[in-house]
Amino acid sequence: MRISMKNKLPVMFLIFWITTTAVLAGAPVQPGDRIAIVGNTFADQLRIHGYLETLLLQYTADKPVSIRNLGWGGDMLTARDRPTNFPSEEETLTAHRTDVIIACFGLGESFAGEERIAAFKSDLQAFIASHAGKKYNGKSEVRLVLVSPIAYEDLGDITPAKEKRNRELAAYTRAMGEVASDAHVPFVDLYTPSLYLMNDPTGPNLTTNGIHLNRYGYWAMGKSFFDQLTVSNQMHGHEPWRLAIDAEAATASARGVKISEVETSDTAVIFMVTETSTPSLPPPTDQPLPPQMQFNRDTLRVERLKPGMYQLAVDDQRVASATAEVWAAGVPIDSSPAHHAAEKLRAAINDKNLQFTYSWKALNQVHIVGERRTSPSGKELPREVIESSELANQRDSTLHRAIELKARRWRISRIEK
């Protein structure tokens, strides 16, 4: 069940809003930054999906960022309990030499209702003050970024009080923006773009239960998150690949790649594609996507093919098939060798995050303060914590090597249906 399309924001307004918000916020993430993510379940689950981190790493490849996710399911500004005998948050921020803290709060706090807005703002101010003047990197004051909660998705009977919850979430988002503005702290509003996507009847649900994003939700929101963190930086922002071929004239145009050596015949079009930017991450769904999400996919358009069915192969690997008519309109390209490499990078990022999790979270408290603390596994835990942290550092240092742009041979061949 979806909210009516009559509530949908105009596309151009959304694009303007995303750009303006990030520019006003100062777009704090810079190449080479050492970043820590703190906050609630939304923050915690970023580490197992990896879409935001992959985007940031792809577009700082020459001077890569380094990210540690300290998110904890259920965290709120004033409720952040931690297990005993593990490194504290401040110790971890210092060990990572943190330049930037991205703080995701507001969802848990919003359940207190609009009457607790003033208290929430006071807690946010205290959070900002707690990091004021801290030099976790040993040289400069840490920079903060505040991130709003997402909207509440309409999933029918399992998501009651939808209008009330979104009023509250909108109010807490506004409050967070006000505190950020007063403190001159960058602010990322994920409430507005998530509500926009939830209002569109096209595409999969974004959440599992109205408040927690699923894999598709993290893919969809990762792009908005990335744009707001980087749009006014000197970094090259990500734009999807756009390839266009005229099969009769043997001419081509492109964005994100360079096309050369175009050869055409009655049954095939062959050309070289030199990758000048990394590919877009494939959507984790086969369902139709909303127009703005479809626009973010890499696309190849081939005009004036003779009627028939055609298959695209990249370096002899099958990628996509469609009729000449569909190719003329444009076909999403999500499974080329470059796209497989991007997914491999995301998997490596998720593995690095898992190793860090072992050094940061107690997965079984009984080994720390319970009956197994004197067992062989309990006695080994301190050493394993240190080793897991070292493994995370080792994996982190090699992630940028996974980004390799190549020249590849693309071939569109006529096939039998």
Side-chain angles (χ1 to χ4, degrees), residues 204-349:
N205 294 326
L206 271 72
T207 67
T208 59
N209 58 1
I211 60 175
H212 294 147
L213 291 173
N214 56 28
R215 185 180 172 189
Y216 168 75
Y218 276 102
W219 175 82
M221 294 310 301
K223 183 63 168 63
S224 177
F225 203 162
F226 169 80
D227 286 343
Q228 293 187 63
L229 287 174
T230 63
V231 71
S232 69
N233 278 348
Q234 297 304 309
M235 294 190 301
H236 297 293
H238 176 255
E239 291 184 323
W241 289 358
R242 292 287 182 264
L243 295 82
I245 301 284
D246 185 319
E248 284 193 10
T251 57
S253 63
R255 183 181 73 189
V257 300
K258 291 181 179 179
I259 300 176
S260 61
E261 302 177 27
V262 181
E263 301 176 10
T264 65
S265 68
D266 288 344
T267 59
V269 180
I270 304 171
F271 50 100
M272 292 297 297
V273 173
T274 302
E275 299 152 3
T276 58
S277 67
T278 51
S280 300
L281 291 168
T285 180
D286 293 328
Q287 295 186 39
L289 300 181
Q292 65 276 24
M293 292 293 97
Q294 187 73 9
F295 179 78
N296 285 329
R297 300 171 78 177
D298 298 334
T299 304
L300 169 62
R301 190 177 76 252
V302 186
E303 298 177 332
R304 298 203 288 178
L305 287 168
K306 294 185 182 300
M309 178 70 70
Y310 290 81
Q311 178 179 274
L312 169 66
V314 178
D315 285 349
D316 296 324
Q317 296 184 30
R318 296 178 182 178
V319 174
S321 298
T323 64
E325 182 180 15
V326 173
W327 279 113
V331 173
I333 305 300
D334 294 322
S335 58
S336 77
H339 293 87
H340 292 313
E343 278 294 286
K344 185 177 180 180
L345 170 61
R346 189 173 70 89
I349 287 169

Side-chain angles (χ1 to χ4, degrees), residues 358-359 380-393:
Y358 291 146
S359 73
E380 283 292 297
L381 185 60
R383 183 182 62 82
E384 290 175 358
V385 166
I386 294 171
E387 288 186 356
S388 294
S389 180
E390 291 175 349
L391 284 172
N393 291 337

